């Protein structure tokens, strides 16, 4: 298989969304270099990595890996943009690791829309941050090819996008699907500031950010859950007046939690959160009854305003 084919069909959406999300989530500018084949036997990380496992017609691993100084600069910038505060960490912390993973999650999710326009039957795991990349064996097992694209960030440094390929089936490539469409907000009543709001996301950083945006709007009766199973329990026990719920989570996904919440008879208004813009997923959630769909990233300069619209505040 040629580098050009792999890049255009599989890696190109990730590179496009990587650069777009870099600008949207950090205000940093990135430029992609030419793709090339890395030698599998000699392939090594440069520092830290955000990874997503790929299964289905494509079997492998998508990776973004960085020199330490680049990872720190991006992590600080993601936090600054999300919380509107200055961050000056000089080493990777848990908060920066979460920020880098959230950036990776946005890239994987939004690129799913581009992949979803073709009949490419493969799935991506939730991105995870890798602190120790000294042991490459678990990632390189069965890998036959490594495609690398360097991304240069002006004034910061460089990071790399890699596709570690074990196997790929190109027979399904080429069948177009319909474009994704927006979601109509079906929640029509203003939500009082005394209302109880349930936030569901496996990212503590996202919960922290949305909680802050809600507080700016006067909402402080907030409860939290970190996966779909906890959300189902919280709805039954806490009877929230409104919910914001992520779709892709480590345990029970948001769409499955939504199905079970509706099956149990709850009509609580729910706005879904996701970087995944696949039309099939959006339609599935809409059919189960939602009050909207917010596509990540969501940032400090617009977060409260976006949320305000869904709560029907004048």
């Amino acid at each position: 298989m040629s580098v050009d084919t792999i890049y255009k069909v599989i890696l190109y959406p990730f590179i496009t969304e990587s650069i777009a999300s870099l600008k949207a989530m950090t205000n940093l500018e990135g430029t992609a270099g030419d793709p090339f084949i890395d030698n599998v036997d000699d392939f090594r990380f440069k520092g830290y990595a955000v990874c997503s496992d790929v299964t289905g017609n494509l079997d492998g691993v998508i990776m973004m890996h960085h020199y330490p100084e680049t990872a720190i600069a991006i992590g600080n910038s993601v936090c600054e943009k999300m919380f509107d505060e200055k961050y000056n960490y000089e080493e990777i912390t848990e908060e920066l690791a979460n920020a880098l993973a959230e950036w990776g999650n946005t890239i994987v999710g939004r690129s799913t829309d581009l992949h979803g326009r073709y009949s490419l039957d493969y799935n991506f795991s939730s991105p995870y941050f890798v602190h120790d990349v000294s042991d490459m064996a678990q990632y390189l097992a069965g890998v036959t090819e490594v495609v690398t694209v360097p991304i240069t960030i002006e004034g910061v440094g460089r990071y790399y996008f890699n596709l570690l390929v074990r196997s790929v089936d190109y027979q399904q490539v080429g069948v177009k699907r319909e474009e994704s469409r927006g979601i109509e907000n079906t929640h029509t009543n203003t939500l009082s500031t005394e209302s109880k709001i349930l936030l569901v996301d496996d990212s503590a950083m996202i919960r922290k950010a949305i909680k802050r945006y809600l507080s700016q709007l006067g909402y402080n009766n907030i409860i939290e859950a970190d996966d779909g199973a906890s959300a189902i329990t919280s709805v039954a026990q806490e009877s929230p007046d409104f919910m914001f719920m992520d779709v892709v989570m480590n345990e029970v996904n948001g769409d499955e939690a939504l199905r079970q919440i509706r099956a149990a008879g709850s009509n609580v208004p729910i706005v879904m959160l996701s970087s995944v813009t696949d039309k099939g997923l959006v339609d599935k959630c809409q059919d189960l009854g939602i009050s909207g769909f917010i596509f990540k990233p969501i940032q400090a300069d617009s977060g409260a305003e976006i949320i305000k619209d869904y709560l029907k505040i004048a």
Side-chain angles (χ1 to χ4, degrees):
M1 64 186 75
S2 69
V3 175
D4 187 63
T5 299
I6 296 175
Y7 178 64
K8 288 183 177 179
V9 175
I10 301 170
L11 267 183
Y12 179 76
F14 287 97
I15 303 304
T16 300
E17 289 303 332
S18 173
I19 293 173
S21 295
L22 182 71
K23 184 173 183 179
M25 297 177 73
T26 70
N27 286 331
L28 298 172
E29 298 282 348
T31 304
D34 294 329
F36 60 89
I37 293 291
D38 257 320
N39 187 310
V40 176
D41 294 333
D42 296 333
F43 179 71
R44 294 292 183 273
F45 281 112
K46 307 299 188 293
Y48 301 96
V50 178
C51 305
S52 176
D53 299 318
V54 191
T55 56
N57 284 344
L58 170 64
D59 179 21
V61 183
I62 288 284
M63 296 179 172
M64 290 180 292
H65 72 278
H66 323 72
Y67 292 109
E69 60 271 20
T70 308
I72 292 167
I74 294 174
N76 279 327
S77 295
V78 170
C79 289
E80 288 176 8
K81 191 73 183 292
M82 185 173 290
F83 299 114
D84 195 24
E85 296 175 0
K86 189 66 178 177
Y87 278 71
N88 290 303
Y89 287 118
E90 296 181 355
E91 59 184 21
I92 291 294
T93 64
E94 181 178 358
E95 190 162 23
L96 291 194
N98 290 337
L100 289 166
E102 185 59 34
W103 176 48
N105 188 59
T106 298
I107 294 167
V108 171
R110 295 188 70 83
S111 67
T112 299
D113 178 48
L114 297 177
H115 284 93
R117 297 175 190 180
Y118 299 88
S119 295
L120 300 174
D121 185 17
Y122 46 78
N123 301 299
F124 305 95
S125 72
S126 296
Y128 49 93
F129 188 79
V130 179
H131 295 265
D132 183 4
V133 294
S134 58
D135 180 12
M136 295 297 298
Q138 61 180 310
Y139 302 103
L140 292 173
V143 170
T144 60
E145 209 153 28
V146 177
V147 183
T148 295
V149 179
I151 310 292
T152 301
I153 306 175
E154 184 178 354
V156 174
R158 180 178 293 184
Y159 67 93
Y160 297 83
F161 231 106
N162 304 109
L163 174 63
L164 278 60
V165 181
R166 298 187 184 98
S167 64
V168 61
D169 181 359
Y170 287 99
Q171 293 182 355
Q172 300 299 317
V173 175
V175 180
K176 290 285 185 180
R177 291 180 179 173
E178 296 179 14
E179 297 288 334
S180 296
R181 56 183 170 82
I183 293 299
E184 181 182 359
N185 184 358
T186 58
H187 177 64
T188 58
N189 298 320
T190 300
L191 193 71
S192 72
T193 54
E194 292 78 23
S195 300
K196 183 186 296 184
I197 299 178
L198 173 60
L199 300 182
V200 187
D201 201 301
D202 58 354
S203 168
M205 174 169 286
I206 294 299
R207 297 199 307 272
K208 175 183 175 182
I210 295 178
K211 191 173 182 178
R212 179 173 297 190
Y213 307 152
L214 286 168
S215 179
Q216 292 171 5
L217 297 171
Y219 296 91
N220 294 296
N221 187 7
I222 311 298
I223 55 177
E224 301 180 35
D226 59 5
D227 64 27
S230 298
I232 295 167
T233 300
S234 294
V235 170
Q237 295 180 350
E238 299 286 345
S239 299
D241 300 300
F242 202 94
M243 288 178 59
F244 293 92
M245 182 160 61
D246 190 26
V247 174
V248 180
M249 292 183 280
N250 291 329
E251 299 296 333
V252 177
N253 277 341
D255 54 330
E256 173 59 20
L258 171 64
R259 185 191 68 78
Q260 293 190 39
I261 289 168
R262 294 303 185 225
S266 174
N267 291 318
V268 56
I270 301 176
V271 171
M272 305 301 290
L273 305 166
S274 185
S275 52
V276 176
T277 55
D278 177 69
K279 179 181 181 297
L281 175 61
V282 171
D283 286 348
K284 178 181 179 181
C285 291
Q286 189 176 35
D287 289 342
L288 289 168
I290 58 174
S291 296
F293 211 115
I294 296 176
F295 296 113
K296 299 177 184 177
I298 183 169
Q299 307 292 351
D301 60 356
S302 60
E305 195 65 28
I306 291 172
I307 289 174
K308 177 181 177 181
D309 179 62
Y310 285 98
L311 300 179
K312 310 305 292 184
I313 302 172

